[in-house]
Amino acid sequence: EGAALSSVTVKFTPTIPHCSMATLIGLCLSVKLLRSLPSRFKITIMITPGTHSSEDEINKQLADKERVAAALENPHLLKVVNKCISTSSH
């Protein structure tokens, strides 16, 4: 019935300006929200401005839905993401 489009924006700060895990962290946040929220939500994940040396490039990757989908087709990467966002204690 034409539910209003809702949006969630998450800005995260990597531990160091050259953090090599920033893209993976953003991907994990994106997947967790995609799996947790109703499909009407538009999800935007980005690095807090000024906190990473490659923030523009990483933000562009995280905003590209086709690139995110392609990344998740990689079985190894999907396993890493699933482990990262797992709620189990093991």
Side-chain angles (χ1 to χ4, degrees):
E1 278 185 275
L5 185 67
S6 302
S7 66
V8 173
T9 300
V10 174
K11 294 180 183 176
F12 69 99
T13 303
T15 52
I16 56 172
H18 298 284
C19 179
S20 62
M21 301 294 283
T23 305
L24 178 61
I25 293 166
L27 187 60
C28 291
L29 290 168
S30 181
V31 170
K32 183 66 174 178
L33 290 172
L34 283 168
R35 292 180 182 173
S36 302
L37 296 172
S39 60
R40 73 176 185 274
F41 281 85
K42 179 188 183 309
I43 298 166
T44 304
I45 306 292
M46 58 194 314
I47 292 178
T48 305
T51 63
H52 195 279
S53 57
S54 303
E55 78 182 62
D56 292 339
E57 181 183 328
I58 294 170
N59 285 340
K60 189 175 177 181
Q61 289 177 9
L62 294 173
D64 185 336
K65 303 304 176 205
E66 288 181 16
R67 243 172 138 167
V68 169
L72 296 174
E73 288 175 10
N74 176 320
H76 173 71
L77 188 54
L78 183 59
K79 185 176 180 180
V80 171
V81 168
N82 284 335
K83 188 171 183 180
C84 178
I85 64 176
S86 169
T87 56
S88 71
S89 58
H90 349 38

